[in-house]
Short mmCIF file of all heavy atoms in Angstrom, two decimals:
data_model
loop_
_atom_site.label_atom_id
_atom_site.label_comp_id
_atom_site.label_asym_id
_atom_site.label_seq_id
_atom_site.Cartn_x
_atom_site.Cartn_y
_atom_site.Cartn_z
N LEU A 35 15.88 317.37 192.10
CA LEU A 35 15.45 316.30 193.00
C LEU A 35 15.80 316.64 194.44
O LEU A 35 15.50 315.88 195.35
CB LEU A 35 16.12 314.98 192.61
CG LEU A 35 15.79 314.47 191.20
CD1 LEU A 35 16.62 313.23 190.87
CD2 LEU A 35 14.30 314.17 191.06
N ASP A 36 16.38 317.81 194.66
CA ASP A 36 16.83 318.16 196.00
C ASP A 36 15.74 318.96 196.72
O ASP A 36 15.53 320.14 196.43
CB ASP A 36 18.12 319.00 195.89
CG ASP A 36 18.59 319.49 197.25
OD1 ASP A 36 17.89 319.21 198.25
OD2 ASP A 36 19.65 320.15 197.31
N ALA A 37 15.07 318.31 197.63
CA ALA A 37 13.92 318.94 198.31
C ALA A 37 14.36 320.12 199.17
O ALA A 37 13.54 320.91 199.61
CB ALA A 37 13.20 317.90 199.18
N GLY A 38 15.67 320.22 199.38
CA GLY A 38 16.14 321.32 200.21
C GLY A 38 16.23 322.63 199.44
O GLY A 38 16.38 323.70 200.02
N ARG A 39 16.10 322.54 198.13
CA ARG A 39 16.25 323.75 197.32
C ARG A 39 14.89 324.44 197.15
O ARG A 39 13.86 323.80 197.21
CB ARG A 39 16.82 323.41 195.94
CG ARG A 39 18.27 322.95 195.99
CD ARG A 39 18.73 322.48 194.63
NE ARG A 39 20.12 322.02 194.70
CZ ARG A 39 21.17 322.83 194.51
NH1 ARG A 39 20.97 324.11 194.28
NH2 ARG A 39 22.39 322.35 194.58
N PRO A 40 14.89 325.76 196.90
CA PRO A 40 13.63 326.48 196.68
C PRO A 40 12.88 325.90 195.48
O PRO A 40 13.52 325.45 194.51
CB PRO A 40 14.08 327.91 196.39
CG PRO A 40 15.47 328.02 196.93
CD PRO A 40 16.07 326.65 196.82
N VAL A 41 11.57 325.91 195.55
CA VAL A 41 10.75 325.34 194.47
C VAL A 41 11.13 325.96 193.13
O VAL A 41 11.37 325.25 192.15
CB VAL A 41 9.25 325.57 194.76
CG1 VAL A 41 8.40 325.18 193.56
CG2 VAL A 41 8.82 324.80 196.00
N LYS A 42 11.23 327.26 193.12
CA LYS A 42 11.50 327.97 191.85
C LYS A 42 12.81 327.50 191.24
O LYS A 42 12.90 327.23 190.04
CB LYS A 42 11.53 329.48 192.12
CG LYS A 42 11.50 330.37 190.89
CD LYS A 42 11.27 331.83 191.26
CE LYS A 42 11.48 332.75 190.06
NZ LYS A 42 10.77 332.30 188.84
N GLU A 43 13.82 327.30 192.08
CA GLU A 43 15.13 326.88 191.56
C GLU A 43 15.04 325.46 191.02
O GLU A 43 15.55 325.15 189.95
CB GLU A 43 16.18 326.94 192.67
CG GLU A 43 17.57 326.52 192.18
CD GLU A 43 18.58 326.30 193.31
OE1 GLU A 43 18.33 326.81 194.43
OE2 GLU A 43 19.60 325.63 193.05
N ARG A 44 14.35 324.60 191.75
CA ARG A 44 14.21 323.21 191.29
C ARG A 44 13.53 323.17 189.93
O ARG A 44 13.93 322.44 189.01
CB ARG A 44 13.42 322.39 192.32
CG ARG A 44 14.11 322.22 193.64
CD ARG A 44 13.26 321.45 194.63
NE ARG A 44 13.09 320.05 194.21
CZ ARG A 44 12.32 319.18 194.89
NH1 ARG A 44 11.64 319.57 195.96
NH2 ARG A 44 12.21 317.92 194.49
N VAL A 45 12.49 323.98 189.78
CA VAL A 45 11.75 323.99 188.52
C VAL A 45 12.63 324.53 187.38
O VAL A 45 12.69 323.94 186.30
CB VAL A 45 10.47 324.84 188.66
CG1 VAL A 45 9.82 325.08 187.30
CG2 VAL A 45 9.49 324.15 189.60
N GLU A 46 13.35 325.59 187.64
CA GLU A 46 14.19 326.18 186.59
C GLU A 46 15.31 325.21 186.19
O GLU A 46 15.61 325.03 185.02
CB GLU A 46 14.79 327.51 187.05
CG GLU A 46 13.77 328.63 187.20
CD GLU A 46 12.93 328.84 185.94
OE1 GLU A 46 13.49 328.74 184.82
OE2 GLU A 46 11.69 329.03 186.07
N ARG A 47 15.89 324.55 187.19
CA ARG A 47 16.98 323.59 186.90
C ARG A 47 16.43 322.45 186.05
O ARG A 47 17.07 322.00 185.10
CB ARG A 47 17.52 323.02 188.21
CG ARG A 47 18.22 324.02 189.09
CD ARG A 47 19.64 324.30 188.64
NE ARG A 47 20.41 325.00 189.68
CZ ARG A 47 21.57 324.55 190.13
NH1 ARG A 47 22.09 323.42 189.67
NH2 ARG A 47 22.24 325.24 191.04
N LEU A 48 15.25 321.99 186.43
CA LEU A 48 14.65 320.87 185.67
C LEU A 48 14.32 321.33 184.25
O LEU A 48 14.63 320.65 183.26
CB LEU A 48 13.41 320.36 186.39
CG LEU A 48 12.56 319.32 185.67
CD1 LEU A 48 13.38 318.12 185.25
CD2 LEU A 48 11.39 318.89 186.57
N LEU A 49 13.67 322.48 184.15
CA LEU A 49 13.27 322.97 182.83
C LEU A 49 14.47 323.08 181.90
O LEU A 49 14.42 322.73 180.73
CB LEU A 49 12.60 324.34 183.01
CG LEU A 49 11.71 324.83 181.88
CD1 LEU A 49 10.55 323.89 181.65
CD2 LEU A 49 11.20 326.24 182.21
N ALA A 50 15.58 323.52 182.46
CA ALA A 50 16.80 323.71 181.65
C ALA A 50 17.31 322.39 181.08
O ALA A 50 18.02 322.37 180.08
CB ALA A 50 17.87 324.37 182.49
N ARG A 51 16.93 321.31 181.72
CA ARG A 51 17.43 320.01 181.27
C ARG A 51 16.47 319.34 180.28
O ARG A 51 16.78 318.32 179.69
CB ARG A 51 17.61 319.06 182.47
CG ARG A 51 18.49 319.54 183.58
CD ARG A 51 18.35 318.68 184.82
NE ARG A 51 18.65 317.28 184.50
CZ ARG A 51 19.88 316.78 184.51
NH1 ARG A 51 20.91 317.56 184.76
NH2 ARG A 51 20.11 315.52 184.25
N MET A 52 15.27 319.89 180.15
CA MET A 52 14.23 319.17 179.40
C MET A 52 14.26 319.49 177.91
O MET A 52 14.46 320.63 177.50
CB MET A 52 12.85 319.50 179.99
CG MET A 52 12.62 318.93 181.37
SD MET A 52 11.14 319.59 182.16
CE MET A 52 9.86 318.79 181.17
N SER A 53 13.98 318.46 177.11
CA SER A 53 13.87 318.62 175.66
C SER A 53 12.46 319.10 175.33
O SER A 53 11.56 319.04 176.18
CB SER A 53 14.11 317.27 174.99
OG SER A 53 13.04 316.39 175.36
N LEU A 54 12.24 319.50 174.10
CA LEU A 54 10.90 319.90 173.67
C LEU A 54 9.94 318.73 173.83
O LEU A 54 8.83 318.88 174.32
CB LEU A 54 10.92 320.39 172.22
CG LEU A 54 9.55 320.76 171.63
CD1 LEU A 54 8.86 321.84 172.46
CD2 LEU A 54 9.70 321.21 170.18
N ASP A 55 10.38 317.54 173.46
CA ASP A 55 9.51 316.36 173.62
C ASP A 55 9.09 316.17 175.07
O ASP A 55 7.94 315.89 175.38
CB ASP A 55 10.24 315.10 173.13
CG ASP A 55 10.39 315.08 171.61
OD1 ASP A 55 9.61 315.77 170.93
OD2 ASP A 55 11.30 314.38 171.12
N GLU A 56 10.04 316.35 175.97
CA GLU A 56 9.73 316.15 177.39
C GLU A 56 8.75 317.23 177.86
O GLU A 56 7.83 316.96 178.63
CB GLU A 56 11.01 316.18 178.23
CG GLU A 56 11.87 314.93 178.01
CD GLU A 56 13.24 315.03 178.66
OE1 GLU A 56 13.82 316.14 178.70
OE2 GLU A 56 13.74 313.99 179.14
N LYS A 57 8.92 318.44 177.36
CA LYS A 57 8.03 319.53 177.77
C LYS A 57 6.61 319.31 177.24
O LYS A 57 5.62 319.52 177.94
CB LYS A 57 8.57 320.87 177.28
CG LYS A 57 9.87 321.27 177.96
CD LYS A 57 10.46 322.54 177.38
CE LYS A 57 11.78 322.91 178.05
NZ LYS A 57 12.40 324.11 177.42
N ILE A 58 6.52 318.85 176.02
CA ILE A 58 5.19 318.59 175.45
C ILE A 58 4.53 317.40 176.15
O ILE A 58 3.33 317.39 176.38
CB ILE A 58 5.28 318.39 173.93
CG1 ILE A 58 5.65 319.72 173.25
CG2 ILE A 58 3.97 317.84 173.36
CD1 ILE A 58 5.88 319.62 171.75
N GLY A 59 5.35 316.43 176.57
CA GLY A 59 4.81 315.30 177.32
C GLY A 59 4.14 315.74 178.61
O GLY A 59 3.11 315.20 179.00
N GLN A 60 4.70 316.78 179.24
CA GLN A 60 4.11 317.29 180.48
C GLN A 60 2.78 317.96 180.24
O GLN A 60 1.97 318.09 181.14
CB GLN A 60 5.07 318.31 181.14
CG GLN A 60 6.31 317.70 181.74
CD GLN A 60 5.99 316.70 182.84
OE1 GLN A 60 5.23 317.00 183.77
NE2 GLN A 60 6.52 315.50 182.73
N MET A 61 2.51 318.37 179.02
CA MET A 61 1.29 319.13 178.69
C MET A 61 0.19 318.24 178.13
O MET A 61 -0.84 318.71 177.67
CB MET A 61 1.64 320.23 177.68
CG MET A 61 2.66 321.24 178.21
SD MET A 61 3.30 322.35 176.92
CE MET A 61 1.84 323.32 176.54
N THR A 62 0.45 316.94 178.14
CA THR A 62 -0.45 315.97 177.51
C THR A 62 -1.09 315.07 178.54
O THR A 62 -0.38 314.45 179.35
CB THR A 62 0.35 315.10 176.51
OG1 THR A 62 1.06 315.96 175.62
CG2 THR A 62 -0.57 314.18 175.72
N GLN A 63 -2.43 314.98 178.54
CA GLN A 63 -3.12 314.10 179.50
C GLN A 63 -4.02 313.11 178.77
O GLN A 63 -5.17 313.44 178.43
CB GLN A 63 -3.95 314.91 180.50
CG GLN A 63 -4.55 314.01 181.59
CD GLN A 63 -5.53 314.73 182.48
OE1 GLN A 63 -6.56 315.25 181.99
NE2 GLN A 63 -5.23 314.80 183.76
N PRO A 64 -3.53 311.89 178.53
CA PRO A 64 -4.39 310.84 177.95
C PRO A 64 -5.27 310.21 179.02
O PRO A 64 -5.03 310.37 180.23
CB PRO A 64 -3.40 309.81 177.41
CG PRO A 64 -2.04 310.43 177.53
CD PRO A 64 -2.13 311.42 178.62
N GLU A 65 -6.28 309.45 178.57
CA GLU A 65 -7.09 308.65 179.48
C GLU A 65 -6.37 307.33 179.71
O GLU A 65 -5.80 306.76 178.78
CB GLU A 65 -8.47 308.39 178.86
CG GLU A 65 -9.61 308.31 179.85
CD GLU A 65 -9.67 307.00 180.63
OE1 GLU A 65 -9.09 305.99 180.17
OE2 GLU A 65 -10.25 306.99 181.72
N ARG A 66 -6.43 306.80 180.92
CA ARG A 66 -5.63 305.65 181.32
C ARG A 66 -5.81 304.45 180.41
O ARG A 66 -4.89 303.67 180.19
CB ARG A 66 -5.95 305.25 182.74
CG ARG A 66 -7.43 304.89 182.95
CD ARG A 66 -7.70 304.26 184.30
NE ARG A 66 -7.44 302.84 184.27
CZ ARG A 66 -8.32 301.94 183.83
NH1 ARG A 66 -9.50 302.32 183.37
NH2 ARG A 66 -8.02 300.66 183.86
N GLN A 67 -7.01 304.29 179.88
CA GLN A 67 -7.27 303.10 179.06
C GLN A 67 -6.56 303.14 177.71
O GLN A 67 -6.50 302.13 177.00
CB GLN A 67 -8.78 302.95 178.83
CG GLN A 67 -9.57 302.74 180.10
CD GLN A 67 -11.07 302.82 179.86
OE1 GLN A 67 -11.70 301.82 179.49
NE2 GLN A 67 -11.66 303.98 180.03
N ASN A 68 -6.03 304.30 177.37
CA ASN A 68 -5.47 304.45 176.02
C ASN A 68 -3.95 304.54 176.01
O ASN A 68 -3.36 305.01 175.04
CB ASN A 68 -6.07 305.70 175.34
CG ASN A 68 -7.57 305.65 175.28
OD1 ASN A 68 -8.14 304.60 174.97
ND2 ASN A 68 -8.23 306.75 175.63
N VAL A 69 -3.31 304.13 177.12
CA VAL A 69 -1.85 304.13 177.15
C VAL A 69 -1.35 302.82 177.72
O VAL A 69 -2.03 302.16 178.50
CB VAL A 69 -1.29 305.29 178.02
CG1 VAL A 69 -1.67 306.64 177.46
CG2 VAL A 69 -1.73 305.15 179.46
#
Side-chain angles (χ1 to χ4, degrees):
L35 299 174
D36 176 358
R39 291 173 181 271
V41 171
K42 192 169 170 49
E43 180 191 342
R44 294 178 68 183
V45 170
E46 291 307 321
R47 294 280 194 126
L48 173 54
L49 200 61
R51 304 168 57 86
M52 291 169 71
S53 65
L54 176 58
D55 289 338
E56 289 171 325
K57 293 175 182 176
I58 291 176
Q60 289 299 309
M61 299 169 68
T62 306
Q63 186 188 60
E65 213 284 339
R66 59 170 276 276
Q67 297 171 86
N68 303 317
V69 297

